[in-house]
Amino acid sequence: MNQKGLTPGEVLSLLDNAGLKNTPYEKVLSAMCTKPHPIALKAHMQFIESNLGDSGLFTGTKELEEKVINIMGDLMGDSQACGYITTGGTESNIQAIRTARNLAKKKHPNIVVPVSAHFSFDKIADLLGIEIRKAGLDNQFRVDTDSVENLIDDNTIALVGIAGSTEFGQIDPIDRLARIALSNDLFLHIDAAFGGFVIPFLDKKYDFDFSIKGVSSITIDPHKMGLSTIPAGGLLFKEESYLFPLEIDTPYLTIRKQRSLAGTRSGAAVAAAYAVMMHLGREGYKRIVDRCIKMTDTIVDGVRECGVQPLIDPVMNIIALDVPDLDEVRKKLRAKGWFTSITRDPSAMRLVIMPHLSEEILELFISDITSEISTLS
Ligand SMILES: *Cc1c(COP(=O)(O)O)cnc(C)c1O
C-alpha cells in the first residue's frame, strides 16, 4: 500500500484503465449474467450501506428481503416458501444440500445429481464431505430416472433435479424425480439458478417447482435472468423448518441467529432484486423472455442454413450447436470479437442468448459463423 493516498481523480483514472480491459457484453454469447436493469442499479446504490448479516440494524432492508422471497416463492408455485437471498446459485446449492445432510444425519451420505449438474456440486462434495453420484442422461439431455433409481442406496440423503441445465438449457423430469424422492423418503432439491426466471414465462408450460409434491427446495438466481445486480442468488425452502439446520448462534449481533452461509452480506443486492421484480412484474419478464427466445430461434434458423444443427431443439435461451472443427471455428470467431462457450459431453458450441444481445448483432454473428464454416478446409 502507498504511504500517501492518491487523489480521487488519480484513483478514478486507475479504475477507468482497469474498466477498459473488461469485455462489454455486446458480443458475449457465453455468459449467464447480463447488464442489470437500470432500476436495479438505482436500488443497489440506495442500499449500498446495508448489511443483512446484522439485519436488526437494517429492518427496512430485511422487510424487502422477505418480500423478494414471497415474490419468488409465488413464482415458484408456493408463496409460503421460506428462504433468503444468497450470493448466488453456488451458495444456494451448498445450503440446500447442507440442510439435507444435517437432517439425515448419515455417516457416509451421498446425493444423486444428473451428470449435467453445475460444477458447484463438486464444491459441495468437497465442502460437505458428501459423495456425489452422477446419473446419466436420456438422448435429450434430461436426467435418466432409471439411472437415478439405480444409484440410490441406504446412504442417499437427497436427489437433485435441474430446471434449466447450464450447458443445454434442458429441464429434468421433475415430476418423476419427485415420485422417486417421495417413495424413498428423500430430500429433493431443484437447481433453477438459470431457469427460474425463464421457465415460468415460456409459452410451453413445464412442471418443475413447488407445485409438484415432493420438491423440498429451489435455487433461483436474480443475478442471471432476473436482471438484478451481482451478488443475488435465491434459496427457497418448502418449509421453514428446513432453515433450522442452518442456524448458528450470533451472540454479539442485533439478531440472535444467522441462517446464511455468508456473514456480512449485501442488502444492496436485495433492494435491487426487489426493485426490478416490482418494476417488471410477470408481464415485463415475459416480454424479456419472449425476446430472448425469438433471438434464439433467429440463431438456430440462421446456422441451419449453413448445415449446422442444434443438439436438441432449444427449450430456453441456451443453444448447443454441433459445429464442425469446433476449436478452430471458435478461435476464428474469437478473433472477430465473439465469446462463445462449449458443452462437455458431447462437445458442442454453447451459446446463451441473454437480453444484452439484439437481432442486429446476431445477424452479424450468423454471417461470421457461416463464413468461417464455409471456409473450413
Ligand atoms: C449458474 C448456475 C449455478 C451457479 O450459480 P452462481 O451464481 O454462479 O454461483 C448453479 N446452477 C446452475 C444450473 C447454474 O446455471
Side-chain angles (χ1 to χ4, degrees), residues 120-186:
S120 50
F121 287 94
D122 297 323
K123 299 182 184 176
I124 287 171
D126 188 38
L127 276 170
L128 299 180
I130 288 176
E131 181 197 345
I132 309 287
R133 300 186 171 181
K134 296 189 178 177
L137 309 180
D138 67 14
N139 65 2
Q140 296 290 297
F141 307 113
R142 290 174 297 229
V143 74
D144 171 1
T145 47
D146 288 339
S147 173
V148 171
E149 279 192 293
N150 288 335
L151 290 170
I152 294 172
D153 66 14
D154 287 347
N155 288 319
T156 303
I157 57 160
L159 305 181
V160 173
I162 312 173
S165 63
T166 310
E167 288 167 84
F168 303 104
Q170 186 53 283
I171 304 167
D172 286 330
I174 307 299
D175 51 345
R176 269 185 280 152
L177 284 177
R179 278 200 298 275
I180 297 170
L182 285 172
S183 63
N184 290 277
D185 198 18
L186 293 170

Side-chain angles (χ1 to χ4, degrees), residues 32-33 86-93 116-121 123 162-167 191-195 219 221 223-224 232-233 318 350:
M32 292 189 135
C33 288
T86 65
T87 52
T90 301
E91 180 180 345
S92 300
N93 287 342
S116 51
H118 184 262
F119 55 76
S120 50
F121 287 94
K123 299 182 184 176
I162 312 173
S165 63
T166 310
E167 288 167 84
D191 185 354
F194 185 84
T219 289
D221 279 3
H223 69 198
K224 288 182 172 170
I318 298 176
R350 168 179 174 263

Side-chain angles (χ1 to χ4, degrees), residues 14 49 72 243 249 261 263 286 328 377:
L14 291 176
E49 296 182 356
M72 290 198 298
L243 280 158
D249 288 333
L261 182 57
K286 170 103 179 98
E328 184 64 19
S377 47

Side-chain angles (χ1 to χ4, degrees), residues 137-287:
L137 309 180
D138 67 14
N139 65 2
Q140 296 290 297
F141 307 113
R142 290 174 297 229
V143 74
D144 171 1
T145 47
D146 288 339
S147 173
V148 171
E149 279 192 293
N150 288 335
L151 290 170
I152 294 172
D153 66 14
D154 287 347
N155 288 319
T156 303
I157 57 160
L159 305 181
V160 173
I162 312 173
S165 63
T166 310
E167 288 167 84
F168 303 104
Q170 186 53 283
I171 304 167
D172 286 330
I174 307 299
D175 51 345
R176 269 185 280 152
L177 284 177
R179 278 200 298 275
I180 297 170
L182 285 172
S183 63
N184 290 277
D185 198 18
L186 293 170
F187 191 94
L188 174 59
H189 177 63
I190 305 305
D191 185 354
F194 185 84
F197 279 98
V198 180
I199 302 167
F201 307 111
L202 294 173
D203 289 335
K204 184 164 175 195
K205 292 299 152 217
Y206 293 89
D207 287 332
F208 73 101
D209 58 16
F210 289 125
S211 58
I212 298 178
K213 192 169 174 300
V215 171
S216 316
S217 58
I218 300 180
T219 289
I220 166 176
D221 279 3
H223 69 198
K224 288 182 172 170
M225 282 294 284
L227 302 190
S228 199
T229 53
I230 298 170
L235 172 59
L236 300 172
F237 286 111
K238 178 80 189 162
E239 293 172 28
E240 196 188 4
S241 61
Y242 286 148
L243 280 158
F244 301 159
L246 302 174
E247 282 183 346
I248 295 293
D249 288 333
T250 50
Y252 40 78
L253 297 184
T254 54
I255 47 172
R256 201 172 43 81
K257 288 183 190 303
Q258 205 175 67
R259 296 160 164 180
S260 52
L261 182 57
T264 299
R265 65 188 175 98
S266 172
V270 168
Y274 174 77
V276 66
M277 287 175 213
M278 290 303 283
H279 176 62
L280 287 175
R282 285 182 187 251
E283 280 182 13
Y285 280 112
K286 170 103 179 98
R287 270 197 304 275

